[in-house]
Every structure is written in structure tokens, then in C-alpha cells.
Amino acid sequence: MAVSEVDRDQKLKYPKSVFFIICNEFCERFSYYGMRTVLSFYLVDILLYTQTMATVIYHTFTMFAYFFPLLGAMLADSYLGKYRTILYLSVVYAAGQLLLAVSSVPPLGLPVREFSILGLLMIALGTGGIKPCVAAFGGDQFKLPQQEHYLAVFFSLFYFSINSGSLISTAITPVLRKEVTCYGMTTCYPLAFLVPAVLMTVSIVIFFAGKRLYKIRQPEGNVVVKVVLCISHAIGRKIKSKGKREHWLDYSDDKYDRHLIEDIKSVLKVLVLFVPLPFFWALFDQQGSRWTFQASRMDGEVFGYLIKPDQFQVINPLFIVIFIPVFQWAIYPILEKFLYLNTPLRKMTAGGILAGLSFIISAIVELNIEPTYAVQPSQGLAQIRIFNTINCPASLTLGSSTNKTSYSLEALNMIQDLYVPVNNSSTVLTLDAKYTDCKQLPGGTLTVSENLTLVEKTATSWALTIEGLSPPFADSVEKSGTGDPFVRALIYKTTSKINSTINFNGEKENQINITKKLQFTEFDKINHNPYNITLDGKPVEDNVFFRFGGVYNIIGYASDTDAAAKTVTLADPNSVHMFWLMPQYVVITMGEIMFSITGLEFAFTQAPVTMKSLLQASWLLSVAFGNLIVVIIAEAAFFDRQVFEFFLFAGLMFVDMIIFAIMARCYKYVEPVSNNESVEDIHLQTKNGIGNENYSEDL
């Protein structure tokens, strides 16, 4: 006799153990996404990798995080069981988070690159290993079919914990990274990593505390292993056998059950359609790498508050929450009626096209950002800068014997020419400078006449001092990899003090030390803020605003009785606003809803019940291979402009979706078979309000 809905709700109490699992999941997701949000900037800012190398490391880490679920599933199903697998790998996970946090503390003097990479590997093993176990372990706490309704409520709460954990951490950790300073730095990565590490440790304590309430099942064998062994056996026998069979998998019927063989035949038809899936994830996961670096080249100021570039990643989960009901009740009915997007595979194709379109938009945004980049010396050109450290103006001419340009060089300022033509790898320019009626100079006058050699594809700077023209300085002006303002100093000292100090006094303080008579200091990061500047304790400038993306040079002099300085701009601050990224985020989020969530619905309704865990592993592997594609393209470095790489990914996505659409036309749908006795079947059905709409790869 069937059990009535009332009996199902009243017969058994709601298992208290699941609340430990839900709290554990919230803490773990906060830990993972909080760390990953600031990872790209950590690789550039602290480990000093280039943005391209940081992209490679970021996606290699993500690739491993989605490869290790295979290992976790095998351990749980064949050896340790779900509980012990979650517990043991969570300890590895927390240790990796703590190692990452500790390695980022400068006073400890640890080999920061080596320890950080080791920490990331441990985190990937931990998060990947427990990924296929936690939701299934929660499902084990229910008795079916009596508690089927309770199970649906559990998954609603479970995925709400994922969404809330990721949303909160994505918004908070960039603030901890940038708004807090520690160990003399303008950032505090140790705190940004420590908070996720603490949350991961708390998740272990919570999970362990519920042990006496858990229903713990013994390992029953892993279907992925069974499928691999069955396929291997069939291939081996087919190679050796001279006879013919209706299907190549039939060669394994001497050792394996006919039902298993038929189920594998069915699931292979679905898995063929998984082949194009990685390209979607190759685009989607670049929100945390290429798109974050793109945001660092834009202006994030809104009503006096500066949005952090890595903080902008919160847009995706935020719009997911907004769009799910909109798609369910408004967009899908319209698409099904007027555009005939009425099957899962058609919706997935449309989702993939939207992902490609989002990269077209990002490329258009990049084209508008490029004019704001710091100009670099290029083929056939050189750059020259002349800095005036004298607190008097000068009349100046610069050029070749046949083409000279006159300048009025202001006191404590500079002139620059970023496009000097160069023939035969170098050129010589003549500089003539004249000071008159200058109290700082002995006799009030100074005349300088020098020949300056410029080399192709290089930038060279000189400084005018009371002693004449300085030796040449090989210069390089680039914006910071994280978008923070860059500042350096050029100070000419006649003071008897060995060291001079420039102090930046404001909401956050900074300092530059001058140790030589004439010194170009290294570029140093400073926060986006206004500052009052002093030189050796003497006020020289008030309310100087160093803006996001700008590159600045302080030019001055210091004597025992006097000091003066002025801030000049070497590269303008970012001017394209970060909100122009919104369209590409909106479009790729729409693509995620149509591709990822619909894809899971398709996969788990078209496959036999016994093969659902195999499809889960294959789905996660598609994410891993997608990140591998990014690693390969980034390492290949086909282009010297980011915009071309964005167009490449868009083109590959469109071609991929054409192939997928052709494959989809050949696919014949099967009617799903309900099975109330399978926890996984209930778990992975697409039900309104309980799917992991935010980070669907966590299923």
C-alpha cells in the first residue's frame, strides 16, 4: 500500500543531523569562494606572477578542484565511506587554507611561492574530494519514501547555504584584502585568507559534533570504477575476439551483469553530448581571472566608495538569485512559444551562444579600455622624459638638428614624448635648457646643452638638477596588476641628512625613503585616497588624490633649510567605469541558467538511475577540462592584446555550439523513469527552488 503524504510527514521526525551538514556546507563554501575570490590578485600582488601566469595557476587550481571529486567518490564508495572521507579530506582542506594564510605573512620569511602552491594543491584535494560526498551524505539521513518531502526541504536549505556562503564571502574577502592593512603593506592577504581558514576549521568542528546523530552507511562500491572496468574488459575481449557482436559492450557479458551493460549503453549516448561542454566552463570560470584583471583596469568609484575589482565577481551569484524565478515564470514560456526553445538541448545551445556573446561584449569593453593603458615603447619608437628637480621654470628645446621642439618646463615638473621615431635601432636628440633669475641656483642662472641617445623600444629618463643633467635612467611606466595607484619619487638632496622621508598622511598612511643624493625610487602601491604630503617633515602638498589606475611621480628637492615637491601624473587613472562590465556578467549569467541548470536536468533525466553518480563525475570533469582549455590558450600566448583572446574564446564557443546543435539534432530523448527509492534521483531532479542555481557545478 502506498504511504499517504500525511503519513510521510507525521510518521518520522525531521532528522536533526542534517542541520550539522547544512552549517558545515555554509562554512565550507564561504571558505572556498572567499579564498578563490582574491586568489588572482594574490598571485600578482604578492607572488609577483604576471597576469598571464596568474591566470594559468588560477585555472590549474580550479581544474584540480574539479578533477579530485573522482578520487573523493572512489574513496567514499569503495573504502572509507562518506563520513570518513568528508572528515579526513576536510582536515587536509583546512590545513591547506591555514598554510596559504601563514605563507602570506611576510615576517615569517617562509618560501611564499612554494608554500602557497602547496596550500592550493591541498585545498583543491580537499574541496574536490568532499564535493561529491556532502550532499549525498545528507540524503543518507532520510528514510524514503516516508521522508521524501523532508528530503526536498533539506536540499532547499542545503543549496541556500551554498548560495549564501558564496555570496557573503565574495563580497567580504576583497574588503578584508584591501580595506585592512597589516605588516606594513597596503593590503592584508593574511587576514583575507585567515578568515576562510577559520571558517573551514569551524566547518570540521560542526561536522564532527553531529557524529552521534548521523546515519553512516558502509561503502557499497563505486559505479564509476565498475563502468571503467566493464568498458576496459569489453575492449580487451573485442580486440582478442574474432567473432562479431551486436554492440562492442556485449563482449563484457561473460563477466558483468546484463543490466549493468545495458545501463552503460544508455549512459554513453548521453556522455557523447558532454564532449562539447568544457568550452562553456572555459569561458564561465574566467570571471575570476581575465574578467577580474579587466576590472582592475577600470574605475570602480561609486559615490565616494571604491568597488574592488575582485569584489565585482559577486554580480554573478547575485543575478542568479534574481534571474531564476524570472526565467521560470516569464522568459522560458516566451522562448518556448515564439523561438521553439522547448527542449533541454535547445536551451543549452542558446546558453552556450549567450556565453560566447558575453565574450564579444567583454572584447568591446576591452577595446574601449585600451586607450587608457600606460603607453609602452614599441617597434620603431622610443620614449623620453625630462624631470625638473629645480624649483624654477626653464625654457627648453629638444629634438634633432633638423626638427626641434620648444617647451616651457615648469618648476618641479616634467615633459615627455612617448612617440619618438627611431631609425636603425637608436637616435640622438639635442637638449638645450636655460634657467634665469632662479634663487635656488648659484648666480641665478643655469644653461644645459647635451646630446641624448634613445634606443628603440625603450623608455629613458633624465633629471635636471642644480648641477646640470643627470645620467640616463632606464625607465618603465606600467599600471599595477591590481589597479591600485602607483607612486614613486625623484628627489634631489643637498641636505646633510643621510636619509630623507616622504610621508603620505590621510585615511591610510604611506612612506617613501630616499637614501641617495638623486634617486628614482621604485614604484610603490598606494591606496585610492587623498593625502597630505610632507618631505622631511615639511609640508609640500595638500589634498593630493591618487586615483585608481593612475601612475604618479613626486618631483622635488630637499635641503637643510627648505623642501619642495610636486606630484605629476605619468599615466592617467582608469576612466572607463566598472559598471560597463555589467552587460557581460548579465549575459553569461543568463547563459549559465540555460546551459548549466538545464544541462543537469537533461543529464539526470536521460540516464539510468544506477548511472547518475557517473554523470555527476562526468559533469565535474567537464568543468576540469574547461579550465584546462584556458591554461593551454593562456600558456600559448597567441596574442599580445587581451581583446584578441576574448574574440578567440567567443569564436571557439560559437563553433562549439554549432557542433553541439548538430549532435543534439541526432539525439533521441527517452522518457525518465521515476524511482522513489533512489536518494540520488530525488537529489538531482530539477525542482523549483531546490537546484543549486548559484554554483551549479557543486551538485
Side-chain angles (χ1 to χ4, degrees):
M1 178 182 287
V3 182
S4 69
E5 293 295 326
V6 175
D7 289 341
R8 288 187 184 186
D9 290 342
Q10 295 179 351
K11 190 171 184 179
L12 297 172
K13 293 183 179 180
Y14 202 95
K16 298 178 181 178
S17 58
V18 299
F19 294 105
F20 291 91
I21 298 171
I22 290 170
C23 292
N24 163 269
E25 185 67 9
F26 171 85
C27 294
E28 189 275 328
R29 290 290 85 186
F30 185 107
S31 176
Y32 176 74
Y33 285 108
M35 179 279 303
R36 202 178 75 162
T37 298
V38 300
L39 178 59
S40 290
F41 279 173
Y42 174 70
L43 295 170
V44 170
D45 203 8
I46 303 300
L47 302 192
L48 303 180
Y49 289 109
T50 64
Q51 288 190 354
T52 296
M53 193 61 202
T55 298
V56 169
I57 295 173
Y58 177 92
H59 288 282
T60 301
F61 162 75
T62 307
M63 178 187 69
F64 280 119
Y66 286 94
F67 172 78
F68 283 129
L70 275 180
L71 176 61
M74 292 177 186
L75 285 174
D77 293 341
S78 302
Y79 301 102
L80 298 178
K82 297 184 186 72
Y83 172 77
R84 286 194 294 168
T85 299
I86 295 170
L87 184 62
Y88 296 166
L89 291 182
S90 291
V91 172
V92 176
Y93 190 168
Q97 289 277 30
L98 287 170
L99 181 60
L100 186 61
V102 169
S103 66
S104 65
V105 178
L108 296 180
L110 299 174
V112 60
R113 280 191 173 184
E114 292 80 0
F115 275 42
S116 294
I117 298 301
L118 177 59
L120 288 174
L121 183 61
M122 294 171 67
I123 293 169
L125 174 60
T127 188
I130 68 175
K131 194 179 294 291
C133 303
V134 181
F137 184 66
D140 287 347
Q141 309 308 306
F142 296 87
K143 185 174 181 180
L144 300 178
Q146 292 92 333
Q147 293 182 305
E148 181 180 348
H149 174 69
Y150 287 160
L151 182 63
V153 173
F154 161 72
F155 282 120
S156 294
L157 294 173
F158 183 82
Y159 293 122
F160 176 78
S161 70
I162 293 176
N163 296 341
S164 57
S166 59
L167 269 169
I168 295 171
S169 64
T170 303
I172 287 178
T173 49
V175 175
L176 299 177
R177 172 189 70 83
K178 190 59 188 170
E179 295 296 329
V180 181
T181 58
C182 57
Y183 303 109
M185 301 186 296
T186 58
T187 56
C188 195
Y189 287 97
L191 180 61
F193 288 142
L194 180 62
V195 171
V198 170
L199 264 291
M200 190 61 221
T201 305
V202 170
S203 77
I204 297 173
V205 174
I206 292 173
F207 184 73
F208 183 74
K211 182 180 180 181
R212 63 184 181 85
L213 300 175
Y214 295 144
K215 294 178 182 177
I216 300 176
R217 294 186 178 182
Q218 296 302 311
E220 299 174 352
N222 184 267
V223 68
V224 177
V225 175
K226 293 178 182 177
V227 170
V228 171
L229 292 175
C230 180
I231 291 175
S232 300
H233 183 70
I235 294 174
R237 286 200 66 205
K238 176 177 172 59
I239 294 173
K240 297 176 182 178
S241 176
K242 296 181 179 180
K244 290 186 177 180
R245 306 293 294 271
E246 183 178 351
H247 192 282
W248 62 270
L249 269 173
D250 293 334
Y251 285 99
S252 63
D253 59 6
D254 66 318
K255 185 176 180 180
Y256 292 94
D257 179 73
R258 170 54 57 179
H259 181 70
L260 174 65
I261 295 172
E262 294 302 319
D263 280 353
I264 295 175
K265 290 180 183 178
S266 298
V267 82
L268 286 178
K269 296 177 183 178
V270 179
L271 288 180
V272 169
L273 292 171
F274 275 33
V275 174
L277 300 190
F279 280 95
F280 175 85
W281 299 114
L283 274 64
F284 181 81
D285 278 340
Q286 288 188 65
Q287 293 177 74
S289 57
R290 293 299 198 193
W291 281 14
T292 296
F293 290 132
Q294 186 179 40
S296 74
R297 300 188 286 270
M298 305 178 77
D299 177 21
E301 188 170 6
V302 180
F303 302 118
Y305 177 78
L306 185 69
I307 301 172
K308 285 70 179 170
D310 43 355
Q311 200 174 32
F312 210 80
Q313 296 176 55
V314 79
I315 295 299
N316 172 252
L318 187 61
F319 273 105
I320 279 288
V321 173
I322 296 171
F323 283 165
I324 285 294
V326 174
F327 268 77
Q328 189 68 33
W329 303 111
I331 295 179
Y332 277 152
I334 295 173
L335 293 178
E336 290 172 2
K337 183 175 182 180
F338 296 103
L339 298 180
Y340 302 102
L341 296 180
N342 52 4
T343 66
L345 293 179
R346 289 178 182 177
K347 292 176 183 177
M348 289 178 68
T349 303
I353 292 172
L354 286 174
L357 180 60
S358 74
F359 267 66
I360 293 290
I361 298 172
S362 67
I364 294 172
V365 171
E366 186 70 17
L367 285 171
N368 285 274
I369 298 174
E370 281 186 344
T372 70
Y373 288 2
V375 178
Q376 300 301 310
S378 56
Q379 189 75 29
L381 297 172
Q383 295 181 349
I384 183 172
R385 295 180 180 90
I386 306 295
F387 293 87
N388 182 12
T389 67
I390 303 173
N391 197 14
C392 296
S395 58
L396 185 148
T397 60
L398 180 67
S400 64
S401 57
T402 58
N403 183 20
K404 289 190 177 183
T405 304
S406 297
Y407 298 90
S408 178
L409 179 57
E410 296 178 3
L412 305 177
N413 214 312
M414 73 159 190
I415 62 165
Q416 62 179 357
D417 188 344
L418 306 181
Y419 305 97
V420 179
V422 175
N423 298 317
N424 299 322
S425 74
S426 67
T427 191
V428 177
L429 302 181
T430 300
L431 169 70
D432 292 303
K434 186 175 183 180
Y435 294 85
T436 59
D437 298 326
C438 180
K439 295 180 180 180
Q440 190 181 344
L441 294 169
T445 62
L446 176 66
T447 301
V448 176
S449 183
E450 297 280 354
N451 290 328
L452 312 180
T453 301
L454 300 180
V455 179
E456 184 182 19
K457 298 178 67 174
T458 62
T460 311
S461 295
W462 283 267
L464 287 165
T465 74
I466 61 174
E467 298 177 8
L469 190 67
S470 73
F473 171 74
D475 209 350
S476 177
V477 175
E478 293 188 62
K479 296 191 175 186
S480 72
T482 57
D484 296 300
F486 258 161
V487 62
R488 73 178 179 189
L490 169 61
I491 305 296
Y492 178 78
K493 297 195 312 175
T494 59
T495 176
S496 57
K497 294 175 61 176
I498 297 176
N499 296 326
S500 292
T501 304
I502 299 175
N503 287 301
F504 301 82
N505 303 310
E507 184 178 331
K508 294 185 178 180
E509 297 188 353
N510 209 332
Q511 180 177 290
I512 296 177
N513 293 316
I514 312 296
T515 60
K516 300 178 181 178
K517 185 175 182 179
L518 179 67
Q519 180 180 358
F520 276 102
T521 65
E522 297 292 331
F523 280 109
D524 194 13
K525 289 182 181 178
I526 193 168
N527 286 302
H528 171 92
N529 274 314
Y531 295 89
N532 296 325
I533 303 174
T534 63
L535 175 54
D536 285 341
K538 302 177 182 70
V540 291
E541 282 191 296
D542 292 331
N543 201 35
V544 180
F545 209 124
F546 295 91
R547 296 190 176 276
F548 199 69
V551 183
Y552 303 92
N553 202 128
I554 297 175
I555 308 171
Y557 75 92
S559 67
D560 289 327
T561 59
D562 192 20
K566 183 177 179 179
T567 302
V568 298
T569 301
L570 300 179
D572 291 329
N574 298 343
S575 56
V576 180
H577 202 277
M578 213 176 284
F579 278 170
W580 284 109
L581 293 175
M582 197 74 75
Q584 65 199 55
Y585 272 91
V586 170
V587 172
I588 203 166
T589 301
M590 294 169 65
E592 179 190 6
I593 293 171
M594 300 187 73
F595 187 92
S596 178
I597 298 174
T598 306
L600 285 166
E601 172 195 359
F602 165 78
F604 291 102
T605 56
Q606 294 297 295
V609 171
T610 57
M611 294 289 114
K612 293 190 186 298
S613 60
L614 174 63
L615 282 174
Q616 181 182 11
S618 301
W619 185 268
L620 295 174
L621 275 180
S622 74
V623 182
F625 282 115
N627 281 271
L628 178 61
I629 291 172
V630 181
V631 171
I632 293 171
I633 292 177
E635 278 282 17
F638 295 116
F639 312 108
D640 58 358
R641 293 171 61 189
Q642 182 61 53
V643 62
F644 292 145
E645 188 176 290
F646 284 154
F647 279 128
L648 173 63
F649 275 109
L652 290 174
M653 191 71 231
F654 291 142
V655 171
D656 184 61
M657 283 301 98
I658 292 173
I659 296 172
F660 182 76
I662 294 172
M663 296 171 65
R665 285 180 62 87
C666 301
Y667 181 80
K668 294 182 179 180
Y669 288 87
V670 297
E671 290 296 325
V673 179
S674 63
N675 187 342
N676 287 337
E677 295 182 358
S678 171
V679 172
E680 284 186 334
D681 190 38
I682 298 169
H683 166 201
L684 294 165
Q685 287 180 37
T686 299
K687 298 186 178 182
N688 295 340
I690 71 168
N692 179 12
E693 296 89 357
N694 185 7
Y695 291 95
S696 54
E697 65 264 30
D698 285 307
L699 286 170

